[in-house]
Amino acid sequence: MSVLSKVNVYRRNIMRNLTKNIGKPKMQDDFILVDKAEIKKVLICRPNGRLGNLLLITPLVQEVAETFPNCKIDLFVKGTLAPIIFENYSVVNKAIHLPKKPFKSLFEYLKVWISIKNESYDMVINVDQNSSSGRLAVQFSNAKYKFFGDAIDEQAEKKKDFEHIAKYPVYNFRHYLTKLRLFTNSNKIIAPLDLKLSASEVANGRKILNELVNNDKRTIFIFTYATGAKCLSEDWWEKFYEQITTEYKDYNIVEVLPVENVSQIGFKAPTFYSKDIREIGSVIANGDVFIGADSGIMHLSSSVQTPTIGLFSGANIKKYEPYDNCSIAIDINNYTEREYTKTINSILNNGKLNSYSKAI
C-alpha cells in the first residue's frame, strides 16, 4: 500500500470515528409525517464517485420517488458521473458533487458544503451510515426530516437480503418512515438497478453490436477486467474463454473492454470499447448474458437488465451480487466447468425478459 493510500485510510478512519454518533442523540421520534405531499424537495447523500456505487443507489432513488410522487431529488455525490447515470430520471433535479481531490480544489470543496447549508430541503437521506461526509451533509442541511442512514438490527434479522448494498438503504429508509408514522410495505420487492435507457439508446446499441459482429447470432458478453484482488488471472480467463468458445459456437462472444483498454484474454474475442457509460450500457442491453467479475461494468450490465453472471473469488458476494432478471453470483472457488455451462444454459434457455427487449 502506498504512503498516500495509507494516509487516506487513516483519514477515513478518523472521520468515521468523529462522525459515527452524529444524529444518534436526535432520533426524531417526536416527528410525524402526516401528508406525503409535504415532501417536495429531497437530498440523497452518497458522496462517492465510483460507477458501481452510484448505480447501486438507483433502487433507493426509485423508492423515494414512488413514496413521494410530488418530490424532486438532488444528489450529493462525488465526481461527475451522476448526471450521466441519472440523465433519464425526471425526478432527479441536479447533482451536487464534491471534487475528487478536495485538497487540490479546496475552494470548490467549500462551495459545495456552503450550497448544501444554504439550500432548503424537506427531507435529507444519507445512504451509507459509515460515510462521514454523508452524515455531515445531513447534519449541516436545513431540513425537518433527517435520516442519517443508521442500520436497523431487527430489519437485518427479518430480511435475508439485507446485506446487499443496494437493498439495505431501502430497508433502512422504509424503517425510518415507520418512525414518522408513515405506512410502508416492508415486503414490497426492491426495485432493480436501472440506468433507464431510452428506446433510441437501445436501438443505437443494437446498431453498434450489429456492425461489430455482422450476423444474427445471439451474444454473450464478457468483461475480463476488475480492480485489485477482484481481477481474475489471465490463466483463469484463458481457460474460461476456451471453454465458452467451444460450448457456444453458435453465439457471438464479445469482450467489453475497460477504460484501461486491457484484455485478460489477449484480445482474442471481438471487442467493444467506449468511454461513454450510456453507450456501453446500450450495447450490453442487446446481449443475452453478461459474464464478468465484481466491477462497475458488472453493475452496469445489471442496470440495463441483461442477465448477469457475477464472478467472485472471495467474500462480499451477498453484498454486491447482481440480483435481478435471472442474474446470479458465482464463487469461482466452488464451481466446476460443467456447472458454468449449466448456469449459462439455464439463463440462455429462459430468454431475456426485460423492459428494453419488450419495448422494442
Side-chain angles (χ1 to χ4, degrees):
M1 185 182 292
S2 67
V3 174
L4 182 58
S5 296
K6 290 180 180 178
V7 170
N8 283 330
V9 170
Y10 185 65
R11 175 184 58 80
R12 283 194 291 268
N13 288 336
I14 290 176
M15 288 302 297
R16 284 173 182 170
N17 287 329
L18 289 174
T19 60
K20 65 182 179 181
N21 292 318
I22 287 179
K24 288 186 177 179
K26 298 179 180 180
M27 297 302 294
Q28 298 180 306
D29 287 336
D30 56 332
F31 286 2
I32 298 176
L33 178 56
V34 177
D35 186 3
K36 287 184 178 182
E38 181 183 339
I39 307 300
K40 297 179 180 178
K41 197 170 182 180
V42 177
L43 177 67
I44 295 178
C45 304
R46 185 63 166 111
N48 188 291
R50 291 182 179 274
L51 171 62
N53 285 330
L54 292 175
L55 287 167
L56 286 161
I57 67 169
T58 57
L60 177 61
V61 172
Q62 294 172 74
E63 180 83 12
V64 173
E66 184 178 345
T67 304
F68 305 116
N70 296 322
C71 81
K72 285 292 184 181
I73 299 172
D74 288 353
L75 301 172
F76 174 47
V77 293
K78 226 176 206 180
T80 57
L81 276 179
I84 298 169
I85 292 171
F86 293 93
E87 180 178 309
N88 289 338
Y89 277 76
S90 59
V91 71
V92 173
N93 176 49
K94 66 179 178 180
I96 305 167
H97 51 86
L98 284 171
K100 289 184 178 180
K101 298 180 180 179
F103 294 111
K104 290 186 177 181
S105 308
L106 190 57
F107 181 68
E108 292 298 320
Y109 183 79
L110 293 174
K111 274 180 62 178
V112 169
W113 289 104
I114 292 171
S115 69
I116 290 175
K117 184 65 177 176
N118 290 340
E119 199 83 48
S120 293
Y121 291 101
D122 299 306
M123 180 176 288
V124 181
I125 302 164
N126 179 39
V127 175
D128 181 5
Q129 66 170 337
N130 294 316
S131 169
S132 54
S133 295
R135 298 185 75 89
L136 285 171
V138 176
Q139 182 72 6
F140 286 166
S141 66
N142 290 313
K144 180 177 180 179
Y145 303 102
K146 297 183 178 185
F147 176 50
F148 290 85
D150 295 301
I152 309 302
D153 290 339
E154 61 261 36
Q155 287 292 99
E157 293 174 359
K158 290 179 182 178
K159 307 296 180 182
K160 293 181 180 180
D161 57 352
F162 183 87
E163 189 177 340
H164 198 282
I165 193 171
K167 295 184 177 183
Y168 71 70
V170 177
Y171 287 132
N172 288 337
F173 172 67
R174 288 176 182 175
H175 185 81
Y176 171 68
L177 293 180
T178 65
K179 295 290 186 180
L180 301 179
R181 317 298 195 272
L182 194 67
F183 172 78
T184 61
N185 182 0
S186 61
N187 294 318
K188 183 175 63 175
I189 294 174
I190 291 177
L193 276 61
D194 197 350
L195 189 63
K196 288 192 181 292
L197 291 174
S198 66
S200 61
E201 286 179 308
V202 179
N204 183 61
R206 184 185 299 116
K207 179 182 176 183
I208 293 171
L209 180 58
N210 289 340
E211 290 174 350
L212 178 63
V213 297
N214 196 27
N215 61 50
D216 294 328
K217 294 180 181 179
R218 297 167 72 185
T219 299
I220 297 172
F221 284 109
I222 59 174
F223 184 74
T224 67
Y225 186 73
T227 57
K230 296 183 293 185
C231 190
L232 306 181
S233 69
E234 290 183 3
D235 182 61
W236 190 95
W237 273 109
E238 290 277 1
K239 291 177 181 177
F240 183 77
Y241 180 67
E242 182 180 352
Q243 178 190 348
I244 60 174
T245 51
T246 301
E247 292 283 348
Y248 302 101
K249 293 179 180 178
D250 294 330
Y251 287 79
N252 299 307
I253 310 295
V254 176
E255 182 178 10
V256 179
L257 296 174
V259 68
E260 292 84 358
N261 198 18
V262 295
S263 168
Q264 296 291 87
I265 57 170
F267 299 95
K268 290 180 180 178
T271 59
F272 170 69
Y273 179 82
S274 175
K275 292 183 179 180
D276 185 329
I277 293 302
R278 299 193 70 85
E279 184 177 69
I280 298 170
S282 73
V283 172
I284 294 174
N286 286 280
D288 290 273
V289 64
F290 171 97
I291 306 169
D294 178 17
S295 66
I297 299 297
M298 182 196 77
H299 294 302
L300 183 68
S301 171
S302 184
S303 77
V304 298
Q305 282 77 64
T306 292
T308 300
I309 298 177
L311 305 172
F312 292 76
S313 57
N316 291 333
I317 290 182
K318 289 184 178 181
K319 187 174 182 179
Y320 292 105
E321 64 181 345
Y323 64 83
D324 197 60
N325 197 32
C326 300
S327 294
I328 186 173
I330 288 173
D331 183 344
I332 65 166
N333 300 306
N334 300 323
Y335 244 59
T336 65
E337 287 188 9
R338 185 176 179 181
E339 287 173 314
Y340 284 112
T341 302
K342 184 178 178 180
T343 299
I344 295 170
N345 285 344
S346 176
I347 293 174
L348 292 174
N349 291 336
N350 282 330
K352 184 180 179 185
L353 300 174
N354 65 47
S355 57
Y356 302 132
S357 60
K358 289 178 182 178
I360 299 172

